[in-house]
Amino acid sequence: MTGKLFVLSGPSGAGKGTLRELALKNFDSLVYSISCTTRQPRNSETDGVEYRFITRENFENRINNGEFLEYAHVHDNYYGTLKQDVINELERGNNVLLEIDVQGALQVREKMPEAVLIFIAPPSIEELEKRLRARHTETEENLKLRLKNAEHEMNLQNEYNHVIINDDLNKAVNYLREIFIQEGCA
């Protein structure tokens, strides 16, 4: 039996990471596929846990070798999911969860149309800005770029199977749980 692929995406600061962590705690058959990135780790991040932090050269070699299920150049860095990681888990019968950006989600949709795409939306752009500022991880220039990208990403939510507006964490978690159960990830 093969598993099912679930994709969480949406703008930076929408709450994807929090929802991912809670989903992984609630569903034993769900595994997280760790993405690769060329960006520098944040203070609390560990290589191989949140991301695989690799060099730009390594990433570009993997692109040329066709090793990515999806990849994107976002905020001056590459992010991507290794195809073989996902295939291995699905073949083991595990349900796989990706937390990726909107560009990557749409690439997954093209390559694996059976994937379940879930868009995590903030209640408003103003709330999103507040959340991003509270992180204290962005320069003003990067913050403006993320907000500009968020507006574009919000316009693509109709491409998804499900949309969760993350205005109340408990409601968002319950809705995500319902989606997983509905899609056979019990």
Side-chain angles (χ1 to χ4, degrees):
M1 179 180 163
T2 60
K4 192 169 256 191
L5 178 59
F6 294 90
V7 177
L8 279 184
S9 65
S12 295
K16 299 179 301 288
T18 301
L19 289 170
R20 170 185 44 87
E21 288 173 19
L22 293 168
L24 290 169
K25 286 179 185 172
N26 287 313
F27 292 92
D28 292 338
S29 70
L30 194 60
V31 297
Y32 177 59
S33 180
I34 299 168
S35 298
C36 297
T37 185
T38 59
R39 79 161 169 77
Q40 291 299 307
R42 294 184 180 129
N43 292 340
S44 62
E45 292 176 327
T46 305
D47 184 43
V49 177
E50 289 82 10
Y51 287 99
R52 290 186 188 135
F53 296 96
I54 63 175
T55 65
R56 180 175 292 269
E57 181 182 6
N58 184 337
F59 201 105
E60 289 172 347
N61 286 338
R62 288 171 182 255
I63 291 171
N64 293 332
N65 292 334
E67 295 179 37
F68 287 104
L69 173 61
E70 61 79 29
Y71 71 91
H73 191 253
V74 182
H75 311 301
D76 297 322
N77 291 293
Y78 282 114
Y79 295 82
T81 304
L82 293 170
K83 188 181 349 182
Q84 201 56 52
D85 287 354
V86 172
I87 290 169
N88 290 345
E89 290 297 340
L90 291 173
E91 288 177 349
R92 285 185 193 113
N94 290 320
N95 296 304
V96 178
L97 180 62
L98 303 181
E99 179 193 335
I100 58 178
D101 75 301
V102 172
Q103 293 176 61
L106 299 179
Q107 288 176 44
V108 170
R109 165 62 39 91
E110 283 179 27
K111 293 175 184 167
M112 299 181 81
E114 70 281 6
V116 178
L117 273 58
I118 306 165
F119 189 88
I120 308 300
S124 67
I125 291 292
E126 294 77 21
E127 175 61 24
L128 185 65
E129 181 176 358
K130 218 166 84 175
R131 291 177 186 179
L132 290 172
R133 286 189 185 284
R135 285 181 175 178
H136 302 290
T137 58
E138 309 295 330
T139 64
E140 191 62 30
E141 184 180 324
N142 281 345
L143 182 79
K144 287 179 182 175
L145 179 61
R146 286 187 186 273
L147 291 171
K148 181 181 174 196
N149 288 343
E151 288 182 31
H152 171 70
E153 292 167 341
M154 297 288 287
N155 291 328
L156 296 172
Q157 60 187 294
N158 292 342
E159 301 290 326
Y160 287 72
N161 302 94
H162 304 276
V163 176
I164 298 174
I165 297 172
N166 189 10
D167 58 349
D168 176 286
L169 184 58
N170 288 330
K171 285 183 191 172
V173 167
N174 287 333
Y175 188 25
L176 184 59
R177 184 180 298 120
E178 286 173 20
I179 292 168
F180 285 136
I181 291 168
Q182 173 189 327
E183 296 289 348
C185 182

